[in-house]
Amino acid sequence: MSTRKKQATPAGTDVPRHIAIIMDGNGRWAKRRLMPRVAGHRKGVEALRGVIRACAERGVSHLTVFAFSSENWRRPQEEVTLLMELFMRALENEVARLHENGIRFRVIGDLSGFSERIQALIRDAEALTRDNTRLTFTVAANYGGRWDIVQAMKKLMAAGVSPDEVDEAALAQKLSIADMPEPDLFIRTGGEQRISNFLLWQLAYTELYFTDALWPDFDPAALDEAIASYRTRERRFGRTSEQVRSAS
Ligand code: IPE
Ligand code: IPE
Ligand code: MG
């Protein structure tokens, strides 16, 4: 086996370095309360605030959340508009607090789909927080895993890379979160058990965790349950259980 393949096996740790979350169930949370869907999205922002803080306190170094998929444009125009407003308001109101807490903020996705105003807020927030190291908090917005792989391929081709030179490492380097460790733990709230075109490439060996909790109800205790489940997993990366145990 090549050294590269051996090195590609990350050491297991108790606390996931990188958690990726599909925050789902806002609409149902609101519907159960006979409230408009946007009320669920608003409550979802609050839940996210708690989860960011909890991740920082628990020593998670990367948190990546799915806020708006490239497919979510298919929703009713009114909901899309309200989601954009909410995103803009969150950018205006939350970034200073993230910065005070030593959190680096990033956005991944096809930003050309957003208004000039939102794009400018994103650029400013990323610039302000770029040297923070406590936690990197990444929002996937107008993001799709397939889009990410295609844009990476386009970058390789534009750089004149020949087919012989294309390998997994070369492609991975051009993906949106190339500089981050791959997610150790994936969480999806809202009961659905699917990836919905989130980080397709990067989730290849991620431990998956699905919960029926709706995103607005997902609090730090729920996060701890997910992390506890993660701790019980044996990450073999293709090897046998015996190999894993003798290596640790
Ligand atoms: C997730 O909640 C938030 C976004 C996709 C923007 P949903 O809005 O999908 O909530 P449900 O799935 O309808 O309950
Ligand atoms: C996935 O949620 C995307 C986000 C949470 C932003 P959806 O609720 O849009 O996913 P599907 O369409 O049910 O798979
Ligand atoms: Mg949903």
Side-chain angles (χ1 to χ4, degrees), residues 27-39:
R28 278 163 284 166
W29 184 93
K31 200 172 169 198
R32 281 182 197 172
R33 288 163 179 76
L34 307 176
M35 290 156 97
R37 292 178 60 86
V38 69

Side-chain angles (χ1 to χ4, degrees), residues 22-24 66-69 72 75 188 192 194 196:
I22 296 187
M23 310 180 291
D24 197 17
F66 209 3
F68 191 86
S69 75
N72 286 145
R75 293 196 177 193
R188 180 172 186 144
E192 245 67 73
R194 54 178 174 249
S196 297

